[in-house]
Amino acid sequence: MPVPRPNAHARNTVVAATPMAFVQAIARAYALRQLAPDAALAAAQIAPADLDRPGARITALQMEWLSAAAMQELDDEGLGWFARPLPWGSYGMLARASLSAPTLGVALKRWCRHHGLLTRDITLAVQTEGDEARIVLGEHRPPGGDGSLREFCFVSVLRNIHGLACWFVDSRIPLLGACFPFAAPPHAQAYRVLFDGPTRFDAEDTAIRFDARYLALPIKRDEAAMNQMLQRALPIQVRPYRRDRLLVQRVRQVLLNQPQDAHNADDLAALLHTSARTLHRQLKEEGATLQALKDEVRRERAMALLQRTNRPIKQIAAATGFLNEKSFIRAFKTWTGMAPGEWRAMR
């Protein structure tokens, strides 16, 4: 994979959110090999003096330049994490080996299994429990030998597999959360960008969580797409996918299971770990609207409760997410042309 040529304008027109701690980790990988990172830092337009500047940040593009230069110079895509270096192209090989899988779940399990052929220092596994899937990272040797690269390793590996998963199905896969076994670092706020769900530190394990239904999605990429992606693979770890192929299903599920917590777009968006503006835009791209989905779910639930129970209309209104009985009756008349009591009497 060729290293992109630095462009000062590109660097300065995007937000610098990547903590300098990750740059220091790459410098540490060079130190472990008794080499200097000067050329890689120069390729990413990072001044050596900035490594020790408190609170310093770099852009995602600078991190891409730095990582690509370091991986090639050290011939180690693990950047010092593992006892045995991972030669340039190792992660591309894992991606290729998973491409023929019929579904994302099979592809991720294959990727995790094959990662164990590259190194025994960590293990990765896909686990499912109910509606939730997890990718769990197990540690068997401290990254860097002394644990100095532990955070950088864990964050990078999980972002790598999450980014690849999104790329495989050409969809955003929103995370329900991430957890790490180390204490919250000084740059903990950066994790809001690194992982789009809530992050928990001092946890018992290392993992990311997401809706298990994504595992059933078919792989959308082919060999030609793989060849193109591998020309510049690092951005898949940070590329924001606009489309969420399960968004309509996820919205319906929340409206059905948590109607009292989703009265408006802001509340619903918060439950889905996104913004109301993004929610409306992505639903529009899927040919749906929040109001239409809300009406559909409420109508189905209201009719089921009216038909199968003897609960008072006021209770059914609350159970279907309406603020009061009057607004429920008004909406029901719009759906069916009659009041809830009249509709129930006809069943």
Side-chain angles (χ1 to χ4, degrees):
M1 292 180 285
V3 180
R5 291 179 62 85
N7 181 289
H9 176 72
R11 181 197 65 183
N12 293 329
T13 54
V14 291
V15 176
T18 304
M20 191 59 69
F22 295 163
V23 180
Q24 294 169 348
I26 292 179
R28 171 64 178 163
Y30 273 89
L32 291 172
R33 299 275 289 274
Q34 298 182 333
L35 297 171
D38 297 1
L41 292 173
Q45 299 181 350
I46 301 172
D50 287 343
L51 267 67
D52 298 320
R53 187 160 57 89
R57 299 281 190 273
I58 63 171
T59 67
L61 190 56
Q62 285 178 286
M63 190 64 187
E64 178 191 348
W65 293 335
L66 176 64
S67 298
M71 286 176 181
Q72 292 192 65
E73 189 172 12
L74 298 175
D75 194 23
D76 181 11
E77 291 192 346
L79 292 173
W81 307 330
F82 309 128
R84 185 179 68 182
L86 303 187
W88 181 254
S90 294
Y91 280 105
M93 180 182 66
L94 293 186
R96 285 189 185 280
S98 303
L99 183 62
S100 62
T103 65
L104 179 62
V106 175
L108 292 181
K109 289 178 181 178
R110 188 178 295 175
W111 192 96
C112 291
R113 183 173 65 253
H114 290 163
H115 195 282
L117 301 177
L118 298 179
T119 178
R120 296 291 185 182
D121 292 4
I122 64 171
T123 53
L124 292 142
V126 179
Q127 301 175 354
T128 57
E129 183 175 350
D131 296 331
E132 184 176 293
R134 300 201 313 158
I135 298 176
V136 182
L137 185 155
E139 178 184 15
H140 306 288
R141 173 186 176 272
D146 58 359
S148 58
L149 300 181
R150 195 180 191 211
E151 180 194 8
F152 185 43
C153 172
F154 292 178
V155 168
S156 298
V157 171
L158 290 181
R159 279 170 59 82
N160 186 327
I161 191 170
H162 179 233
L164 183 64
C166 293
W167 182 83
F168 269 143
V169 296
D170 191 23
S171 173
R172 177 173 176 258
I173 301 178
L175 295 179
L176 301 175
C179 57
F180 297 92
F182 44 78
H187 48 269
Q189 284 190 335
Y191 278 72
R192 298 178 183 177
V193 178
L194 297 171
F195 301 96
D196 59 2
T199 300
R200 181 164 53 92
F201 298 101
D202 289 320
E204 293 184 358
D205 53 12
T206 305
I208 53 175
R209 302 182 292 112
F210 55 94
D211 191 319
R213 288 176 295 181
Y214 287 96
L215 296 176
L217 290 179
I219 300 299
K220 293 287 186 179
R221 306 296 188 172
D222 57 18
E223 187 68 25
M226 175 67 71
N227 291 335
Q228 183 178 13
M229 183 273 285
L230 290 179
Q231 290 298 309
R232 192 178 167 203
L234 290 171
I236 70 169
Q237 297 187 37
V238 296
R239 179 180 298 146
Y241 283 82
R242 291 168 61 91
R243 182 176 184 180
D244 180 350
R245 294 183 181 276
L246 289 185
L247 181 63
V248 171
Q249 295 180 43
R250 294 174 62 231
V251 169
R252 281 179 55 85
Q253 184 179 43
V254 171
L255 292 174
L256 184 63
N257 297 335
Q258 299 172 259
Q260 296 177 336
D261 298 326
H263 286 304
N264 54 54
D266 288 329
D267 293 341
L268 179 60
L271 291 171
L272 295 172
H273 306 299
T274 187
S275 67
R277 181 177 180 180
T278 298
L279 176 62
H280 283 301
R281 187 192 71 241
Q282 292 183 347
L283 285 174
K284 183 178 180 181
E285 291 171 356
E286 294 297 307
T289 67
L290 178 56
Q291 189 58 53
L293 289 173
K294 187 179 292 187
D295 287 344
E296 181 183 334
V297 170
R298 285 176 166 179
R299 181 173 64 250
E300 291 176 1
R301 182 167 176 79
M303 288 179 173
L305 291 173
L306 286 168
Q307 188 172 12
R308 300 172 186 172
T309 75
N310 293 318
R311 294 168 67 175
I313 302 300
K314 186 176 183 179
Q315 290 185 13
I316 293 177
T320 50
F322 285 88
L323 295 176
N324 53 63
E325 184 177 355
K326 289 184 178 179
S327 60
F328 169 62
I329 293 174
R330 185 165 55 249
F332 198 88
K333 285 183 177 179
T334 301
W335 299 334
T336 65
M338 61 184 72
E342 296 176 300
W343 189 89
R344 171 183 267 171
M346 296 177 60
R347 300 298 110 184

